[in-house]
Amino acid sequence: DILLEPEEILEEGELWEDVVIKLKLAGITAAPVVDSKGLLIAIINPSDILQEMEIEATDDVMRLSGSGGGETYFGTPLLKLVSRRCGWLVSLLMLQSLSSVILTYFQSVIERHIVIALFLTMLTGTAGNAGNQSSAMVIRGLATGEINSKNKMKCFWRELRGALISASILSAVSFLRVFITPGSNLMASMAVSLAMGATVIGAIIFGTG
């Protein structure tokens, strides 16, 4: 028999994310695992990889939904599941209330122009969508290994720049949308526009974190 040297050798204690990345780069589906002394202790095969990918996918979905991670749906106690969700929901509630804080400075304008109240749901909805997009991209990057502890600040600053650009575009669009509404004027449009920009920036930063 001819013994071939393995294309990739894995070490005991390596993270599954790193293992999958190594196998993917090497273009193989199986590899030996050795201990600190270099002795063979196991062999990773496709079934192991598929099982771990399912666990990781479940974990990512749980984190994306704000329900934590590391456990299955039925394996998580109901009170624990509720507490995790409420933590995220309360945080999002406080974040979306930022638009109300900004609009408070324009209270006299709102009293004179009730049309502004028609766009409050637009503010909270857009901010929520922006935050969800940001968190989805970051979680995807964490799952694939593209984002890690070494480049997390690079990711943060990239998302911050994206937040500023997105906020500028959405503020301009919301300004025009309010301005063309019958009964609106320049001050009402500016109030909604500023609130839109601030909440979008906050939502994206929160989603990235």
Side-chain angles (χ1 to χ4, degrees):
D1 295 339
I2 300 177
L3 297 178
L4 299 177
E5 183 178 351
E7 298 183 47
E8 188 70 46
I9 299 178
L10 306 174
E11 297 181 0
E12 183 181 16
E14 283 194 71
L15 296 177
W16 269 103
E17 293 88 342
D18 297 334
V19 170
V20 173
I21 292 174
K22 284 184 177 181
L23 296 182
K24 182 179 179 181
L25 293 176
I28 56 179
T29 57
V33 181
V34 299
D35 59 15
S36 58
K37 298 180 181 179
L39 300 177
L40 178 66
I41 58 175
I43 296 179
I44 298 296
N45 55 53
S47 62
D48 296 324
I49 297 174
L50 289 175
Q51 182 179 8
E52 184 59 28
M53 288 177 65
E54 180 181 356
I55 295 174
E56 291 295 330
T58 301
D59 185 69
D60 292 339
V61 171
M62 293 283 283
R63 293 183 187 279
L64 183 59
S65 65
S67 302
E71 300 175 358
T72 62
Y73 176 76
F74 287 108
T76 304
L78 180 59
L79 292 180
K80 188 175 183 179
L81 187 64
V82 171
S83 64
R84 287 174 173 175
R85 290 182 178 179
C86 285
W88 273 87
L89 291 174
V90 170
S91 299
L92 291 173
L93 175 64
M94 298 304 296
L95 174 65
Q96 291 183 355
S97 67
L98 177 61
S99 60
S100 300
V101 174
I102 296 174
L103 290 174
T104 300
Y105 290 98
F106 297 90
Q107 185 174 356
S108 59
V109 178
I110 297 175
E111 292 175 352
R112 296 195 304 270
H113 306 280
I114 305 301
V115 67
I116 295 179
L118 300 176
F119 296 97
L120 292 179
T121 54
M122 180 184 74
L123 290 173
T124 57
T126 303
N129 291 334
N132 288 337
Q133 287 181 346
S134 178
S135 61
M137 293 299 295
V138 172
I139 290 176
R140 173 61 180 169
L142 292 171
T144 59
E146 185 177 4
I147 299 176
N148 50 53
S149 58
K150 295 180 180 179
N151 60 11
K152 60 182 180 181
M153 290 307 300
K154 180 180 179 181
C155 170
F156 175 80
W157 289 116
R158 177 182 173 86
E159 287 295 320
L160 179 59
R161 293 196 301 271
L164 294 174
I165 297 173
S166 299
S168 299
I169 295 173
L170 292 171
S171 292
V173 173
S174 61
F175 177 89
L176 293 175
R177 175 64 184 87
V178 178
F179 191 72
I180 63 177
T181 300
S184 180
N185 61 13
L186 182 62
M187 287 299 295
S189 302
M190 288 182 59
V192 175
S193 178
L194 290 174
M196 175 66 75
T199 52
V200 167
I201 292 175
I204 293 179
I205 293 176
F206 183 81
T208 303

